[in-house]
Amino acid sequence: MITAIVFVKADVARIPEVAEAIAELDGVSEVYSVTGQIDLIALIRVREHDQVAAVVADRLNKVPGILSTETHIAFRAYSRHDLESAFSLGLD
């Protein structure tokens, strides 16, 4: 599974509509409104790198109200859940 994190700058007056439109796209697992330099963060989860391009370049970037995007590909996930399973002795 490939995870991409997309930072989205959107028209401030349209943030809720932009977020909902992004969330409806195939390959988008979550969308968050955030504070700071960007307005939204979208998490893309797909099986192949070519699918990242299809989701971001072909669909997400065309959502009305998006001013710009910046895409980051995740190399490795670190979370409490992942760490617990890595160190589990299988005694559950």
Side-chain angles (χ1 to χ4, degrees), residues 4 7 13 20 27 30-31 33-34 40-41 44 47 53 61 63 65 70 75 77 79 85-86 91-92:
F7 295 171
E20 289 176 11
E30 300 159 68
V31 179
S33 59
V34 296
L40 301 167
I41 294 177
I44 312 298
R47 296 202 179 276
N61 280 337
V63 170
E70 182 178 320
F75 291 128
S79 72
S85 64
L91 301 176
D92 296 352

Side-chain angles (χ1 to χ4, degrees), residues 3 30 43 45 74-88:
T3 300
E30 300 159 68
L43 296 182
R45 297 185 201 276
F75 291 128
R76 183 175 295 151
Y78 298 93
S79 72
R80 171 180 276 167
H81 176 74
D82 292 338
L83 294 174
E84 287 174 357
S85 64
F87 291 104
S88 173

Side-chain angles (χ1 to χ4, degrees), residues 61-77:
N61 280 337
K62 294 178 181 173
V63 170
I66 290 182
L67 304 177
S68 66
T69 62
E70 182 178 320
T71 303
H72 302 265
I73 304 295
F75 291 128
R76 183 175 295 151

